Amino acid sequence: MGKNVAHQIVELLEKANIKRVYEVTGDNLNFFNIAVKQSDKIDWVHVRHEEAGHKNS
């Protein structure tokens, strides 16, 4: 079985040296959430609202 689009995106993020992803969960993001959680290079951080995912600096 080939890779789905979510796994391909995660591979691109890994190559770009992204270390963490802040995400709001939802049906549309389930495949991406799974792909990020399977990555050993990117940390998945759940946020309850998109405003909680930004860095204050």
Side-chain angles (χ1 to χ4, degrees):
M1 182 173 161
K3 297 176 188 172
N4 64 25
V5 173
H7 283 92
Q8 293 175 9
I9 292 170
V10 169
E11 283 183 2
L12 289 172
L13 294 173
E14 289 173 347
K15 288 179 184 178
N17 209 26
I18 300 300
K19 299 296 182 194
R20 75 188 56 82
V21 173
Y22 298 90
E23 292 186 64
V24 177
T25 59
D27 290 340
N28 294 333
L29 293 173
N30 284 342
F31 288 106
F32 184 67
N33 290 344
I34 292 167
V36 171
K37 287 180 181 181
Q38 291 173 343
S39 171
D40 58 347
K41 296 179 181 178
I42 299 176
D43 291 327
W44 183 85
V45 181
H46 174 262
V47 294
R48 292 181 181 213
H49 193 273
E50 60 269 10
E51 290 179 2
H54 67 85
K55 185 175 180 181
N56 294 328
S57 63

